[in-house]
DNA sequence: TTTAAAATTTAGACAAGACTAAAAAATAAA
DNA sequence: TTTATTTTTTAGTCTTGTCTAAATTTTAAA
């Protein structure tokens, strides 16, 4: 059985490894977990003892099969709870992350199986992130960062990379959400800022925004 | 903010105080929490520092107004989650306690308020225990232990005192549940054992059983 | 009312998980 | 390639919540 702290480290390592494709450094983990590098060293040594990560001194860490499976299960729980909060309890999509961070650690396989049924086996959470299935399989989705699109290309918003409340509220005030159709009207070479069109309205957005919106191009 | 351990102590002290009407002893808490008296001493000193219990050395502890309000809120959450698990996720009444023990510690007032609405503001949990309202008010219910009834008296089962899975399963196999009509057919003076009738079937039950079933008499 | 037993508290230790400061290793710069 | 910088690890400390063993207080018995 894993403690709350251990589960959070596994989740963080999973996300980092996923984003960068490679093994993750001590500092990267410390950064993500908002803790000190020395604390991370302690923990990754413990996790290595438990065979959930492979780790060599000074060489960073990466999840073992077992570690990955635990991490994915936590993410599955997180995303299912998010669906519950939005679909059943009428939360806004920017309000659910913190609560799901707590709920994801509830230990009961039967609970998650029943919750999944109750929600009708959803494929995506309210931010467009795919929900891993019972076996930990995550359906690969072809999605592109808005920042990768060129002038005049368009697509449907299928997810957000960053999901902080502030960013989500930024999107809300501009009526951008999962399913929104977005077209690049203009793109500035110099700083990658864009003018986009969302249902007849045009907005100017910075690179920071376009790098956090996933689209399915048409 | 209170830690998980602190919350569990407050809840235990609340239940003990409620059952016995009086301040609770260190040993009673240790017993309930399945821990050592010395650990309890440590914790109740900490809780006294935080002004949630009043405590004098060697004299036992009792909740302050603030402590009581925290404890009741945890109990409210526990019981609401139990309703959710049984009503929405189709759990049996003997399966929900452990999961609710985890869920009761999730911190979010908005979550509980929305959960309560979603469930239609239930008054009782699946074991017949009243759900405290937002202000911590617990509607007093006139219920009697089956063990207090005399020969030929009858009532409707409105709750169970003990709610271990084993006891609940014992009731299930005899088709006794919340709402069952129970009549005392015979009562043995010597050991308080009874013969009871539940919808045309008669059962012999020991004092241990009759002391854990609450009835509303008619 | 003095003594014996039970209950409670103190003292000291330990594990988990975090921290600071300092040492060691790896990487980048000159 | 040697030096400087950054990264990582070690050593030692702290807090929370637990434990055992011993000391103290309270309660029950003689």
């Amino acid at each position: 059985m894993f403690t709350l702290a251990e589960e959070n480290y596994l989740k963080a390592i999973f996300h980092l490894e996923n984003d960068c494709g490679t093994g993750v450094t001590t500092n990267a983990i410390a950064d993500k977990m908002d803790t000190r590098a020395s604390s991370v060293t302690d923990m990754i040594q413990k996790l290595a003892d438990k065979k959930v990560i492979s780790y060599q001194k000074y060489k960073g860490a990466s999840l073992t099969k077992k570690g990955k499976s635990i991490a994915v299960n936590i993410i599955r729980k997180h995303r299912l709870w998010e669906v519950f909060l939005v679909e059943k309890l009428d939360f806004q999509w920017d309000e659910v992350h913190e609560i799901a961070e707590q709920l994801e650690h509830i230990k009961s396989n039967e609970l998650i199986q029943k919750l999944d049924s109750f929600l009708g086996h959803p494929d995506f959470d309210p931010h467009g992130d795919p929900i891993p299935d019972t076996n930990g399989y995550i359906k690969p989705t072809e999605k592109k960062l808005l920042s990768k699109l060129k002038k005049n290309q368009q697509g449907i918003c299928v997810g957000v990379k960053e999901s902080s409340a502030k960013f989500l509220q930024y999107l809300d005030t501009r009526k951008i959400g999962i399913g929104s159709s977005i077209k690049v009207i203009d793109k500035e070479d110099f700083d990658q800022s864009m003018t986009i069109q969302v249902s007849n309205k045009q907005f100017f957005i910075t690179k920071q925004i376009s790098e956090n919106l996933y689209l399915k191009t048409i």
Side-chain angles (χ1 to χ4, degrees), chain A residues 93-104:
Chain A
W93 70 337
D94 60 297
E95 302 174 313
V96 296
H97 186 74
E98 308 240 315
I99 301 174
E101 288 279 300
Q102 299 179 62
L103 287 164
E104 73 189 5

Side-chain angles (χ1 to χ4, degrees), chain A residues 30-42:
Chain A
D31 207 59
K32 182 132 202 164
M33 303 276 302
D34 199 27
T35 185
R36 297 303 180 142
S38 56
S39 309
V40 174
T41 301
D42 288 347

